[in-house]
Amino acid sequence: MKAVFAALIAVLTIPGCGALSALQGEPDRDVFDLRPPVDGMRQCSARGRAELTVEPPKSGGDLDTERIMIRPNPLQVQYLPDARWSDTVPTMVQTLLVRTLGSYDVFSHVGRAPLGMSGDVALLTEISDFNAVTGEGGTRILMRIDAQLVEEMGATVIARRQFRADVPATSTATAQLIPAFDAASQQVLSEISTWAVGAVGRGATCR
């Protein structure tokens, strides 16, 4: 009993997050984030501005995690042992959408919740793929997000579209996978923002 107590005291004296990881049996992992594709305000030729609410994306349970997924085949799920995202995949995607769409002046406000009782338009998304795949064709990053823009007042669907990215990676090593994830994410986010601005801004052009 004394030996067990001494071991516990030794673990508790480990500085920082290492102590918690050791207690939970979890290894330390490098933490990664992804970037929005735009930096600074985008000026658009649109009349009137709408308030946009970005709802929390839906996903399967295997994606609702901070772990970085790899699929060696369509029926198997694995995760990188030495790395994780800064947040769960749905929360990270929601943050990226808010930051990306918030850079367009077509929208008076972009956020996770409306400023008042309800906003003008809601963006609803579902993440089907956000992972690396391996196979005879090499390693690739697949992303697929289904999106809908809904007018909140009348619960009317304004537009609906699926967005996909397929980006090659040189290997399954973390140093090669993360830049490929970033490239795929920026492609999908750029396409979603162009589509949303066009649908809500009625064909607005931006610079």
Side-chain angles (χ1 to χ4, degrees):
M1 184 67 181
K2 290 182 178 179
V4 173
F5 182 75
L8 179 59
I9 292 297
V11 168
L12 289 175
T13 59
I14 300 173
C17 297
L20 183 60
S21 297
L23 284 172
Q24 295 177 339
E26 289 286 338
D28 289 331
R29 297 186 178 95
D30 292 330
V31 180
F32 292 91
D33 206 351
L34 298 176
R35 303 169 298 167
V38 292
D39 184 17
M41 184 60 68
R42 301 288 299 273
Q43 304 295 322
C44 304
S45 59
R47 294 182 179 178
R49 298 194 299 166
E51 182 182 345
L52 179 68
T53 302
V54 179
E55 298 288 344
K58 298 183 181 299
S59 72
D62 53 0
L63 280 173
D64 193 9
T65 175
E66 299 171 358
R67 304 292 302 277
I68 300 174
M69 185 195 295
I70 299 177
R71 283 190 178 276
N73 64 66
L75 301 179
Q76 186 178 5
V77 170
Q78 296 179 345
Y79 299 95
L80 285 183
D82 61 343
R84 66 178 178 87
W85 298 122
S86 60
D87 214 325
T88 65
V89 170
T91 301
M92 184 171 64
V93 169
Q94 184 186 30
T95 299
L96 288 167
L97 286 169
V98 169
R99 292 178 62 188
T100 303
L101 291 164
S103 65
Y104 290 84
D105 69 353
V106 164
F107 306 107
S108 60
H109 171 75
V110 177
R112 293 173 174 81
L115 293 175
M117 294 296 292
S118 66
D120 299 314
V121 180
L123 174 62
L124 282 62
T125 55
E126 182 166 356
I127 307 167
S128 301
D129 291 300
F130 200 97
N131 52 268
V133 296
T134 59
E136 294 181 358
T139 302
R140 308 187 325 276
I141 303 301
L142 294 183
M143 289 189 188
R144 183 175 64 176
I145 297 179
D146 297 295
Q148 296 184 73
L149 287 167
V150 178
E151 185 181 4
E152 298 230 50
M153 185 65 70
T156 304
V157 176
I158 300 171
R160 177 188 290 118
R161 185 175 162 186
Q162 184 180 95
F163 300 89
R164 299 173 60 94
D166 185 339
V167 174
T170 55
S171 76
T172 57
T174 300
Q176 279 69 50
L177 283 182
I178 299 303
F181 266 105
D182 191 52
S185 173
Q186 292 211 26
Q187 177 187 325
V188 169
L189 290 166
S190 293
E191 292 177 359
I192 290 177
S193 61
T194 300
W195 165 76
V197 167
V200 176
R202 296 178 176 85
T205 58
C206 305
R207 65 182 190 277

